[in-house]
Amino acid sequence: MTENEGNPYRGVLRQEIHVIRRLYPVFRRYVKDRNRIKKEKDHQFDPKIEYNGKRAVEAFIDLGPTFIKLGQVLSARPDLLPNEYIASFQRLQDDVPPEDFKLVKPLLEKNLGKLEDVFEEFDPVAISGASLGQVYLARTRGKRVAVKVNRPNVSERIRKDLYVIRRLLRFARGRIDNFLYISLENVIEDFSSRIYDELDYLKEKSNMDKIRKNISGREKVIIPRVIEDLTTKEVLVMEYIDGIKITDRNRLMEKNIDLQKLAFHLDLMFIRMILKDDLFHGDPHPGNISVTEDGTIILYDFGMVGRLDGKTRDSLITLYVGLLSSDADLIIDALLSLNALSPAANRGIIRRSIEVSMAGLRGINPDEREVREIFAIANDVIFEFPFRLPRALVLYMRMSSLLEGICMHLDPDFRFIRVLRQILYNEGVLNTFYSSQLKKFISQSIISVEKGLELLPLMKRKLEEENGDARTKSSRFVEISIFLGFSLVALAFMYRYYELPSLILMAAAGVGFLIALIRRK
């Protein structure tokens, strides 16, 4: 919508004034802090800047649901927020007092019909309230169910808020550097499309079904079943499964649940979703995870999900390997492949920044590295050399940060690297990765060989002119040399990453092809 179209929303001007009053001081402090950090060569964590981050979070909470969701998105943007701000924004929970049931009941009945005709029991006191919806307990068809419903007029509220946000962003243009403006504009546009997905419970049901299918038989986890004929775009009815909140350490220990194993398996489950599946749960905050009395994990709320294509997943594995091995060049290659760094960036400066950031980790056993230290490295480099983060990577970083907080709460000695090594080395992820890389290598090699062989007729004619009858041996020598060169490289690659039988088969096939080539000559 453009300014020329006018403002179709009643009350928007008042909302705009309120937002300006709350956000302008926040934005002014943020720009000042950001510029100061960029000028410092060796910036240290500053409590004063952290305090400014806390004040920013307070403003976002005061401004309501849309801004709470936006703050959660920004908590995973180290290219935009300093570490001190991120520390505060990551604590921004989606916990909002529920609406009055008198306002919610008409929406429920519009979608389901009279409540007394659908439910044997319905508790009008919500068991949880989030920024976009709230959940009630009920009973239908003899079963206890959870009824999730949008907040009344939430779509209209979001539209008004987004209109104001875009207006303020246009006002800021010319007053901030161009990169920051473009990055914020991209964030707002992506956020504007994604937030409506979370309002659509038919999409959430689809996400639940896909993830349940992906992890079936692999994970010890419960995903509630949806009652399809009672689910609409605005209302989601699913089986109610009672559990202990994942952060309630005392109750978990009372049930003799091993907290160290729970933390390990929780993180492993999410990392498996990232590296093995086409869809992952993107919002594992404590309100969305419970545990049964026998230690089984229960997952809720599948409105925020992420997807990784094969290329992004391979690049992420490369980044993991680089972090594990402290290989700055591998890290840079992965960030470039993820479109996380501009190809025009000064590679030498970036490498030096990574090496300096990782200096504090040198000499530490890899098993003792915590994920927050690893991400602090990434955050330092990202903030100094800004880029546009792909949406899937943003959700991944948010997911990882939330998950690490839970795991560290359960087990203060939790180490992300142990989980990473488990899935990379013990579950075949690296073998799959290397197989994919080998296929690409062979494909590229074949193309290179074909291009090389295209030159042989020219070389042949040249040899005929210079050496007459000697050209047969010479041309044959050239062809064989080219083939052997590529074969040796391929065999060396397979020797490095594959077992001996595979190597022998590949070598035998190569020898056979070489003999055929010689005989043809």
Side-chain angles (χ1 to χ4, degrees):
M1 178 178 296
T2 65
E3 291 185 50
N4 292 333
E5 293 174 321
N7 184 344
Y9 301 116
R10 184 179 302 171
V12 167
L13 180 58
R14 181 180 298 177
Q15 170 71 355
E16 190 169 355
I17 293 173
H18 177 59
V19 171
I20 290 173
R21 290 180 60 187
R22 292 295 281 130
L23 281 191
Y24 177 72
V26 169
F27 191 72
R28 184 180 60 190
R29 288 190 294 266
Y30 159 72
V31 173
K32 182 179 178 181
D33 291 337
R34 188 174 186 274
N35 290 336
R36 174 189 157 192
I37 292 172
K38 290 182 70 176
K39 291 178 181 178
E40 294 179 1
K41 293 183 178 180
D42 186 21
H43 175 72
Q44 301 297 321
F45 197 91
D46 190 333
K48 292 182 179 179
I49 296 179
E50 183 183 28
Y51 177 68
N52 288 340
K54 292 178 180 178
R55 294 169 72 183
V57 167
E58 291 171 0
F60 275 62
I61 293 173
D62 177 64
L63 289 170
T66 309
F67 290 87
I68 290 173
K69 282 291 180 183
L70 179 59
Q72 291 173 353
V73 171
L74 291 173
S75 72
R77 294 301 302 253
D79 55 325
L80 298 178
L81 296 184
N83 285 337
E84 292 91 336
Y85 276 65
I86 287 176
S88 298
F89 273 76
Q90 285 177 343
R91 291 191 286 270
L92 187 60
Q93 294 297 317
D94 194 11
D95 188 10
V96 182
E99 295 278 1
D100 189 330
F101 184 69
K102 292 179 181 179
L103 302 174
V104 176
K105 186 177 179 180
L107 181 61
L108 285 166
E109 294 192 331
K110 184 188 79 171
N111 283 270
L112 303 178
K114 292 291 184 181
L115 294 186
E116 56 267 26
D117 295 336
V118 179
F119 302 100
E120 291 109 48
E121 299 175 12
F122 195 102
D123 189 345
V125 179
I127 59 173
S128 70
S131 58
L132 304 181
Q134 49 205 57
V135 181
Y136 297 89
L137 279 181
R139 182 179 294 275
T140 185
R141 304 166 189 175
K143 297 180 180 179
R144 295 181 75 194
V145 294
V147 181
K148 186 175 180 181
V149 57
N150 282 169
R151 285 179 177 268
N153 302 315
V154 66
S155 294
E156 185 71 9
R157 173 69 182 271
I158 290 172
R159 276 193 288 270
K160 289 180 179 180
D161 286 340
L162 290 174
Y163 177 83
V164 172
I165 290 170
R166 289 192 180 101
R167 289 256 301 169
L168 294 178
L169 184 61
R170 286 197 294 270
F171 174 78
R173 188 169 193 171
R175 294 171 174 83
I176 56 178
D177 66 77
N178 192 52
F179 166 78
L180 180 57
Y181 174 80
I182 293 174
S183 296
L184 289 174
E185 185 179 46
N186 290 333
V187 169
I188 299 304
E189 289 309 308
D190 179 71
F191 173 75
S192 298
S193 62
R194 182 164 55 81
I195 192 169
Y196 287 108
D197 286 345
E198 293 190 50
L199 294 177
D200 188 344
Y201 293 144
L202 293 177
K203 288 185 178 180
E204 180 169 348
K205 176 197 172 297
S206 176
N207 295 336
M208 294 172 74
D209 292 341
K210 288 178 182 177
I211 291 179
R212 182 188 293 109
K213 181 180 179 181
N214 287 343
I215 67 178
S216 177
R218 187 181 74 198
E219 312 289 355
K220 187 180 179 182
V221 62
I222 297 173
I223 297 175
R225 296 280 177 178
V226 173
I227 301 178
E228 295 190 19
D229 61 322
L230 295 181
T231 295
T232 69
K233 188 173 181 178
E234 295 178 308
V235 179
L236 177 67
V237 181
M238 59 192 142
E239 61 179 333
Y240 176 73
I241 303 172
D242 196 13
I244 304 167
K245 191 172 182 178
I246 189 69
T247 51
D248 192 343
R249 298 181 82 254
N250 293 333
R251 284 196 62 196
L252 291 171
M253 288 190 291
E254 286 174 4
K255 301 300 179 181
N256 297 316
I257 295 173
D258 189 322
L259 300 188
Q260 290 184 334
K261 288 185 179 179
L262 178 61
F264 180 86
H265 287 115
L266 178 66
D267 197 62
L268 183 61
M269 177 178 66
F270 275 85
I271 297 302
R272 280 172 174 157
M273 277 192 268
I274 285 285
L275 297 183
K276 293 188 174 185
D277 301 333
D278 58 349
L279 200 68
F280 64 89
H281 189 298
D283 194 23
H285 69 71
N288 289 339
I289 308 173
S290 293
V291 183
T292 64
E293 293 188 358
D294 67 355
T296 303
I297 296 168
I298 310 169
L299 284 184
Y300 310 106
D301 197 345
F302 293 77
M304 186 184 295
V305 296
R307 293 173 174 82
L308 296 180
D309 57 33
K311 179 180 180 296
T312 302
R313 187 178 290 109
D314 285 351
S315 299
L316 191 59
I317 294 173
T318 302
L319 178 61
Y320 277 150
V321 174
L323 291 170
L324 283 170
S325 60
S326 298
D327 188 329
D329 284 307
L330 204 57
I331 292 172
I332 294 172
D333 290 341
L335 291 175
L336 287 169
S337 179
L338 288 165
N339 295 322
L341 281 175
S342 168
N346 187 315
R347 189 180 180 103
I349 295 176
I350 295 173
R351 183 190 298 108
R352 179 56 184 157
S353 296
I354 292 175
E355 291 171 349
V356 169
S357 297
M358 297 185 75
L361 297 178
R362 288 175 184 165
I364 303 175
N365 187 303
D367 283 339
E368 300 304 315
R369 297 178 183 175
E370 299 182 21
V371 71
R372 67 163 55 93
E373 292 174 309
I374 292 177
F375 277 111
I377 294 168
N379 288 352
D380 288 341
V381 175
I382 288 167
F383 190 70
E384 186 173 353
F385 304 98
F387 56 83
R388 179 182 177 183
L389 282 172
R391 175 184 171 184
L393 196 58
V394 171
L395 285 176
Y396 160 74
M397 294 178 73
R398 169 177 162 74
M399 181 272 283
S400 297
S401 298
L402 289 171
L403 202 58
E404 187 234 357
I406 294 173
C407 293
M408 289 292 293
H409 177 77
L410 291 172
D411 175 18
D413 295 325
F414 174 80
R415 296 295 181 266
F416 166 72
I417 297 301
R418 294 172 185 165
V419 176
L420 186 57
R421 290 189 169 207
Q422 164 75 18
I423 192 167
L424 287 183
Y425 295 111
N426 299 342
E427 298 192 11
V429 171
L430 274 185
N431 286 339
T432 302
F433 169 70
Y434 289 139
S435 176
S436 172
Q437 296 300 99
L438 179 61
K439 289 178 182 178
K440 292 179 184 177
F441 170 80
I442 292 175
S443 176
Q444 292 170 354
S445 297
I446 290 173
I447 292 173
S448 297
V449 169
E450 289 175 346
K451 289 185 178 296
L453 291 176
E454 288 175 1
L455 296 175
L456 291 181
L458 297 176
M459 298 172 68
K460 178 180 178 183
R461 285 196 294 270
K462 180 65 175 176
L463 289 170
E464 286 175 345
E465 293 174 0
E466 294 182 354
N467 301 315
D469 294 337
R471 58 92 186 154
T472 301
K473 295 181 179 179
S474 300
S475 60
R476 183 183 302 166
F477 175 76
V478 171
E479 289 181 341
I480 292 173
S481 297
I482 293 174
F483 174 77
L484 283 176
F486 283 105
S487 296
L488 287 173
V489 174
L491 290 172
F493 186 89
M494 294 199 70
Y495 179 78
R496 170 65 179 83
Y497 296 118
Y498 287 84
E499 297 177 356
L500 186 59
S502 299
L503 181 64
I504 293 173
L505 289 174
M506 184 67 175
V511 171
F513 183 80
L514 180 60
I515 292 172
L517 179 65
I518 294 173
R519 286 182 174 178
R520 183 174 67 84
K521 294 295 180 182

